[in-house]
Amino acid sequence: MSATDATTVKAPGRVDTSAMGRRLRALGRAELTLLLRNKAMLFVALATPVLLTVLMRQTTSGMNLEGTGLTMGTVLIPGSIGYVLVFAVYANLTGIYVTRREELVLKRLRTGESSDGEILLGSALPSLFLALGQCVLLLAGGAAVLDLAPPKRPELVVAGVLLGLVLMVLLAGVSAAFTRTTEASQITTFPFMAISFVGSGVVIPLDVMPDAMANVCSLLPVSPTMELVRNGWVGTLSGFDTVKALVVLVVWIVLGTLAVKRWFPWEPRR
């Protein structure tokens, strides 16, 4: 083998990142086209978090926030991030995965060069970018409207949002594994959504809950994200609580990854 030929041989196990990037962009563009055509799904993803945040203001005004370091703004804005994660990513993406699976789109994609991870991530890209844009607008616009000071620990806010997005994709894959039809996804996603809104600090911050309840609720999947975003904003999260939130979030991500690998079906469910 000549020296020239040797340079063209890829190292064993080496990942062609440029080819993977092209495949992800192609999958993302195709999914974005389909998402933009589905006006109902797009409306739910874009409008629901904003509408729920407005409705949540009445609930927040009646909370006793004394001694928590929180204000109406630091309850509402992180809560809106929770709505985005749950509606724009988790619920939206569960329906997308189920629809593409039942239409045999995922099965056909597996016959190509894309890996399973690339197929799932490529399908999720439009929802992720949409949610990330919403988070930025809500954090910046909401802070301006409510006259909030900049986050005291911005790195925790960013970590909470990004890790939360990853977790929602994985949980959408898990939920899709137990959902037979697109219509049924509205039912199968409801328990997780209800638990997250009530127990994970989206509507009622863990800081105002009794300590025993707060300790239990802090282990729920969305709770670490809310803790990092909300208390990272006001700078009240201790070193121990920061590590705990990050560890709990990473554990859920690992469990979600294992669950998707184990249970996600690529064939239509009969």
Side-chain angles (χ1 to χ4, degrees), residues 81-103:
I81 301 303
Y83 290 133
V84 169
L85 294 178
V86 174
F87 277 103
V89 183
Y90 168 72
N92 190 39
L93 199 52
T94 298
I96 288 174
Y97 283 152
V98 173
T99 301
R100 305 296 175 260
R101 183 192 70 212
E102 297 302 306
E103 293 175 345

Side-chain angles (χ1 to χ4, degrees), residues 128-262:
L128 287 173
F129 283 119
L130 181 68
L132 189 59
Q134 285 180 277
C135 289
V136 172
L137 289 175
L138 286 168
L139 288 171
V145 170
L146 296 170
D147 195 26
L148 293 179
K152 294 185 178 180
R153 299 287 304 277
E155 72 279 7
L156 296 184
V157 176
V158 172
V161 171
L162 295 181
L163 291 175
L165 289 171
V166 173
L167 179 59
M168 292 302 103
V169 173
L170 294 170
L171 293 181
V174 175
S175 293
F178 299 96
T179 305
R180 291 186 178 274
T181 65
T182 305
E183 294 75 16
S185 65
Q186 301 176 29
I187 299 174
T188 57
T189 57
F190 179 77
F192 174 78
M193 294 168 67
I195 291 172
S196 298
F197 294 154
V198 175
S200 290
V202 177
V203 178
I204 303 174
L206 301 186
D207 305 73
V208 303
M209 294 181 182
D211 290 342
M213 182 182 295
N215 289 333
V216 173
C217 289
S218 67
L219 301 178
L220 295 173
V222 180
S223 297
T225 289
M226 299 311 302
E227 287 291 280
L228 291 170
V229 174
R230 181 169 282 135
N231 291 293
W233 194 295
V234 297
T236 57
L237 208 59
S238 66
F240 172 80
D241 290 334
T242 300
V243 172
K244 177 186 174 183
L246 289 171
V247 168
V248 171
L249 194 45
V250 170
V251 167
W252 277 111
I253 289 174
V254 172
L255 292 176
T257 302
L258 296 175
V260 169
K261 288 182 177 180
R262 173 67 178 83

Side-chain angles (χ1 to χ4, degrees), residues 44-109:
V44 170
L46 291 174
T48 304
V50 177
L51 293 175
L52 288 176
T53 301
V54 173
L55 294 174
M56 181 181 161
R57 182 163 187 155
Q58 184 62 35
T59 302
T60 306
S61 63
M63 291 182 185
N64 182 12
L65 301 176
E66 185 177 354
T68 64
L70 300 175
T71 63
M72 178 180 290
T74 52
V75 172
L76 281 176
I77 300 307
S80 67
I81 301 303
Y83 290 133
V84 169
L85 294 178
V86 174
F87 277 103
V89 183
Y90 168 72
N92 190 39
L93 199 52
T94 298
I96 288 174
Y97 283 152
V98 173
T99 301
R100 305 296 175 260
R101 183 192 70 212
E102 297 302 306
E103 293 175 345
L104 300 178
V105 173
L106 299 183
K107 182 178 180 180
R108 289 195 294 270
L109 288 173

